[in-house]
Amino acid sequence: MGKWKYKLEDEGKQLRKLIDEDDLTLEAVIVVYNQMITCLKLLKMKLIGRDKNDLTYEIDSMIEDYQLACPENTDAYNYYEEEDILNFNLRGFYDFCDDNRVWIGL
């Protein structure tokens, strides 16, 4: 395996902790989205060299997608649908991090 180029130590650790909670609610789904957005914003600030040019647009697009996917009012949403959408977005987030050698803290 290659070397990690970037590390999301504390923010990634917090994200994993939020995901691993047994009692995931719609409110928790919102918190997970916000933590993914925080991780992406931090990663964007850490980008150097060519990665800054190559990844900035993709990160901005992901942030916008997650902001739009995040439920606004928990009364109007179905938890199971939102969980499925969140899981889809989490896969995309983790794939992006793996593809770009970003370590997500444990």
Side-chain angles (χ1 to χ4, degrees), residues 20-91:
D20 289 341
E21 288 183 7
D22 291 333
D23 190 23
L24 199 61
T25 63
L26 275 173
E27 291 81 10
V29 168
I30 293 168
V31 173
V32 170
Y33 273 117
N34 288 331
Q35 189 62 30
M36 288 192 325
I37 291 167
T38 298
C39 287
L40 289 170
K41 287 179 178 179
L42 179 64
L43 174 60
K44 187 176 164 185
M45 289 189 307
K46 291 183 175 199
L47 295 176
I48 57 172
R50 186 173 180 173
D51 287 343
K52 194 169 201 149
N53 292 330
D54 294 346
L55 300 178
T56 296
Y57 176 77
E58 190 170 358
I59 290 172
D60 286 340
S61 294
M62 290 173 70
I63 290 170
E64 185 177 340
D65 289 346
Y66 298 161
Q67 288 170 335
L68 291 172
C70 184
E72 293 175 7
N73 176 353
T74 57
D75 296 334
Y77 291 87
N78 178 303
Y79 169 75
Y80 296 105
E81 290 175 12
E82 293 305 319
E83 181 185 36
D84 288 343
I85 295 168
L86 175 63
N87 286 333
F88 175 82
N89 286 323
L90 278 167
R91 275 190 298 281

